[in-house]
């Protein structure tokens, strides 16, 4: 019985690691699209084309993201903002956004 539990826990952990790896690929694709947007002005179209492609849908699915049109729109909006993923995920950027939202609400 303990062998089954250990095997299940190991498989779950392996699955989580794989999901994080694919999420990193999605973040890299977003950064590439942001760079394309700054250089050529076609970043949102690039990420949409990638997300709608067979490979893009596969990567999104493996990252635990449902590859539907709403997600594609969200990716395009994110790229359109032009904020790199490392900056967008930082604590300082999050605090700045929260302060801006509170200032708008007041």
């Amino acid at each position: 019985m303990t062998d089954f539990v250990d095997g299940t826990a190991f498989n779950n952990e392996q699955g989580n690691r794989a999901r994080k790896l694919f999420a990193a690929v999605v973040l890299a694709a977003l950064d590439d699209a942001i760079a394309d947007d700054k250089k050529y002005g076609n970043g949102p179209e690039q990420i949409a084309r990638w997300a709608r492609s067979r490979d893009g849908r596969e990567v999104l699915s493996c990252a635990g993201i449902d590859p539907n049109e709403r997600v594609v729109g969200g990716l395009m909006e994110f790229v359109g903002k032009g904020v790199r993923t490392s900056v967008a995920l930082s604590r300082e950027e999050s605090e700045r956004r929260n302060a801006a939202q509170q200032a708008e609400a007041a």
Side-chain angles (χ1 to χ4, degrees):
M1 179 66 182
T2 58
D3 290 339
F4 173 75
V5 173
D6 289 344
T8 303
F10 177 78
N11 289 338
N12 185 42
E13 191 171 321
Q14 289 292 95
N16 287 337
R17 283 192 207 130
R19 199 170 298 110
K20 287 179 185 178
L21 177 68
F22 281 105
V25 173
V26 172
L27 293 176
L30 285 168
D31 277 343
D32 288 347
I34 290 168
D36 281 350
D37 194 38
K38 289 181 180 176
K39 191 170 185 180
Y40 304 113
N42 67 345
E45 294 84 18
Q46 287 292 88
I47 197 69
R49 187 176 309 127
W50 175 79
R52 290 178 181 133
S53 72
R54 188 170 136 207
D55 289 340
R57 287 192 319 265
E58 184 75 20
V59 169
L60 288 169
S61 293
C62 290
I65 302 168
D66 185 23
N68 57 36
E69 279 304 309
R70 183 175 175 208
V71 168
V72 173
L75 293 173
M76 291 174 67
E77 181 183 335
F78 184 85
V79 170
K81 290 180 181 176
V83 179
R84 304 286 298 211
T85 57
S86 58
V87 173
L89 295 174
S90 71
R91 175 173 284 153
E92 289 128 12
E93 179 67 15
S94 176
E95 290 171 355
R96 186 193 64 77
R97 270 187 270 140
N98 287 337
Q101 287 175 351
Q102 289 174 356
E104 286 177 9

